[in-house]
């Protein structure tokens, strides 16, 4: 069967655009993906069996995308699908005059009547090569009028230009493992120096750490060595500038055994704090809390039961619902203890210390302690006198 004739006037309309709007050549070591977008409006007066898009590949001024990584194609309409069918020859040479290095994408129409009742968008994505030039894209359709069964191969051409100015970009902002070269990580050991790196064609870079308005560095390098490491989780903002334009990237790095410095805290379960901790806001713990490291509490603190195993300072109101155990030097102000108070170290109380329990019990416990200390050598008269005094407190 003879091939149908090729007609240069297609029945469908092809609106071609790109992302980014201006295609720019890539730096060989940092290829960026770009898109060629072909929009085809609904055309109920046309039947179309298939559409072919040929994009030249390679590293030449008249080719668009590099062969590697290979370009990809997608469609947004389920009436159409990408096909691997060989259309050379029996469908009129839709691709038979293309060079071997052309990227040929065939899209077949699945509907029974082949009428183009709905719009179609074809998107081809690849890495623009590194040479300036003009590229010709060929679009071929196998179509006919809706009232005819004589399909013809119809072709149109689109011209795209690659400019020589690489687009301004900033990406791949990562923290690197200090012990394994080139290995990105999201968590660092406490106080462990590490390095941050990024990819960009910007001229100047600044890095900001949360909590500070002054940059850690201003540099033209694409790396920064963070010498002191972290004692807490931190967010870093990388600012790149080029020709008056600015781009930003954010990086979050977790400290594997961080200290804590925060505001309001509400905890429903047991809390054990191992490192140095400063609480600048209200602290509410509904379960027991153990402080194994030096701690400072600047605001109102309510704890179910508190055990302090290292030095601690509470400079505002401290309320312990079921008791306070102190094993190291601790300074307290305005403290209310509704349970037992156990003191193993020295306690300095700059405010009142109240214990909401039976005062006679306090007296009895106090006398019992004195008796034990004096090996029971204690007069009944003195015991009675101390009891009367203590019960009046």
């Amino acid at each position: 069967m003879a091939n149908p004739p090729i007609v240069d006037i297609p029945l469908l309309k092809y609106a071609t655009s790109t992302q980014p709007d201006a295609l720019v050549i890539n730096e060989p070591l940092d290829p960026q993906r770009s898109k060629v977008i072909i929009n085809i409006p609904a055309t109920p007066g046309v039947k179309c069996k298939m559409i072919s898009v040929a994009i030249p590949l390679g590293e030449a001024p008249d080719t668009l995308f590099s062969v590697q990584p290979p370009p990809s194609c997608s469609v947004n309409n389920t009436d159409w699908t990408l096909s691997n069918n060989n259309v050379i020859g029996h469908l009129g040479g839709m691709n038979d005059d293309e060079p071997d290095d052309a990227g040929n994408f065939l899209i077949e129409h699945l509907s029974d009547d082949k009428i183009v009742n709905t719009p179609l968008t074809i998107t081809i994505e690849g890495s623009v090569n590194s040479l300036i030039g003009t590229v010709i894209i060929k679009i071929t359709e196998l179509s006919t009028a809706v009232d005819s069964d004589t399909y013809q191969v119809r072709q149109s051409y689109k011209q795209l230009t690659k400019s020589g100015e690489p687009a301004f970009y900033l990406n791949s902002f990562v923290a690197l493992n200090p012990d394994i070269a080139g290995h990105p990580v999201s968590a660092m050991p406490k106080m462990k120096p590490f390095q941050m790196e990024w990819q960009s064609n910007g001229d100047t870079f600044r890095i900001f750490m949360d909590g500070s308005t002054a940059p850690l560095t201003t540099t033209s390098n694409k790396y920064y060595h963070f010498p002191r490491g972290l004692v807490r989780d931190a967010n870093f903002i990388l600012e790149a500038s080029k020709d008056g334009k600015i781009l930003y990237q954010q990086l979050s790095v977790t400290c594997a055994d961080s200290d804590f410095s925060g505001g309001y805290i509400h905890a429903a379960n047991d809390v054990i704090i191992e490192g140095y901790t400063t609480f600048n806001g209200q602290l509410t713990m509904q379960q027991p809390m153990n402080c194994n490291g030096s701690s400072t509490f600047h605001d109102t603190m309510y704890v179910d039961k508190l055990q302090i195993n290292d030095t601690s300072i509470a400079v505002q109101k401290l309320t312990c619902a079921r008791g306070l155990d102190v094993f190291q030097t601790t300074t307290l102000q305005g403290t209310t203890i509704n349970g037992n108070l156990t003191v193993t170290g020295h306690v300095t109380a700059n405010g009142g210390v109240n214990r909401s329990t039976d005062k006679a019990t306090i007296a009895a416990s106090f006398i019992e302690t004195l008796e034990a200390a004096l090996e029971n050598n204690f007069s009944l008269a003195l015991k009675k006198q101390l009891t009367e005094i203590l019960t009046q407190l």
Side-chain angles (χ1 to χ4, degrees):
M1 185 178 77
N3 293 331
I6 296 176
V7 180
D8 288 335
I9 302 176
L11 299 181
L12 298 175
K13 302 295 183 183
Y14 301 94
T16 304
S17 61
T18 62
Q19 288 184 358
D21 292 339
L23 292 176
V24 293
I25 60 174
N26 271 311
E27 294 182 353
L29 297 180
D30 188 37
Q32 305 294 304
R33 302 284 282 186
S34 300
K35 296 178 181 179
V36 176
I37 303 168
I38 303 171
N39 289 302
I40 305 167
T43 313
V46 173
K47 294 189 293 186
C48 183
K49 289 184 177 180
M50 58 188 63
I51 298 171
S52 173
V53 181
I55 294 182
L57 306 181
E59 300 298 327
D62 59 351
T63 59
L64 181 60
F65 293 139
S66 297
V67 176
Q68 294 295 333
S72 61
C73 181
S74 63
V75 295
N76 72 334
N77 188 327
T78 56
D79 287 343
W80 299 79
T81 186
L82 291 173
S83 174
N84 292 323
N85 287 340
N86 184 358
V87 297
I88 296 177
H90 70 284
L91 289 180
M94 290 183 72
N95 296 316
D96 59 1
D97 59 347
E98 296 302 323
D100 293 337
D101 59 357
N104 296 306
F105 299 97
L106 180 67
I107 300 96
E108 290 195 59
H109 202 178
L110 299 177
S111 68
D112 293 335
D113 58 15
K114 307 304 179 187
I115 299 175
V116 185
N117 285 319
T118 54
L120 168 67
T121 297
I122 303 170
T123 302
I124 301 173
E125 182 174 354
S127 297
V128 177
N129 61 34
S130 58
L131 294 174
I132 299 171
T134 301
V135 180
I136 302 298
I137 295 176
K138 185 173 74 172
I139 303 173
T140 307
E141 66 184 47
L142 185 61
S143 62
T144 186
V146 73
D147 56 357
S148 172
D149 291 327
T150 303
Y151 283 87
Q152 291 181 309
V153 175
R154 309 169 194 270
Q155 295 176 343
S156 63
Y157 299 87
K158 302 293 182 179
Q159 179 175 295
L160 299 177
T161 300
K162 299 175 295 177
S163 70
E165 180 65 27
F168 180 27
Y169 65 90
L170 174 64
N171 53 42
S172 300
F173 185 28
V174 296
L176 298 180
N177 190 320
D179 300 321
I180 305 176
H183 189 274
V185 293
S186 59
M188 292 291 179
K190 183 178 177 181
M191 303 295 291
K192 182 78 170 182
F194 63 94
Q195 184 156 298
M196 290 174 272
E197 294 186 1
W198 56 91
Q199 294 178 347
S200 177
N201 60 349
D203 297 324
T204 305
F205 308 97
R206 298 197 299 172
I207 295 180
F208 297 86
M209 185 176 177
D210 57 4
S212 176
T213 58
L216 295 173
T217 183
T218 300
T219 179
S220 60
N221 297 326
K222 298 176 185 177
Y223 61 88
Y224 174 67
H225 184 69
F226 194 71
R228 64 179 184 270
L230 298 174
V231 296
R232 61 173 177 83
D233 298 350
N235 291 312
F236 298 92
I237 300 294
L238 172 62
E239 176 191 275
S241 59
K242 182 181 179 68
D243 299 329
K245 298 179 181 179
I246 295 178
L247 294 176
Y248 293 98
Q249 283 277 348
Q250 178 173 320
L251 173 65
S252 297
V253 181
T254 300
C255 183
D257 49 354
S258 65
D259 296 339
F260 176 82
S261 178
Y264 177 82
I265 297 177
H266 180 91
N269 296 313
D270 292 8
V271 176
I272 299 176
I273 300 174
E274 299 291 351
Y276 174 82
T277 306
T278 299
F279 296 93
N280 295 317
Q282 181 178 350
L283 174 65
T284 301
M285 300 289 181
Q286 302 294 350
Q287 296 293 330
M289 173 179 172
N290 289 358
C291 289
N292 297 330
S294 179
S295 303
T296 301
F297 310 99
H298 286 288
D299 207 333
T300 301
M301 176 178 176
Y302 175 90
V303 181
D304 176 70
K305 185 173 182 180
L306 175 63
Q307 179 173 309
I308 299 175
N309 298 322
D310 203 334
T311 58
S312 181
I313 299 175
V315 298
Q316 293 294 330
K317 182 179 180 181
L318 169 64
T319 301
C320 299
R322 292 194 302 115
L324 171 64
D325 295 336
V326 180
F327 296 96
Q328 294 293 336
T329 300
T330 301
T331 301
L332 305 172
Q333 293 183 11
T335 302
T336 300
I337 303 168
N338 295 321
N340 295 325
L341 171 63
T342 302
V343 180
T344 304
H346 175 71
V347 177
T348 300
N350 295 322
V353 177
N354 300 317
R355 184 182 186 276
S356 301
T357 187
D358 182 73
K359 294 181 180 180
T361 303
I362 296 177
S365 178
F366 176 63
I367 293 169
E368 183 179 351
T369 302
L370 288 178
E371 286 178 333
L374 299 174
E375 297 181 352
N376 294 321
N377 185 15
F378 205 82
S379 69
L380 294 176
L382 180 57
K383 180 188 296 185
K384 180 179 180 181
Q385 182 179 357
L386 287 174
T387 301
E388 291 175 353
I389 293 172
L390 291 171
T391 54
Q392 293 176 7
L393 294 177

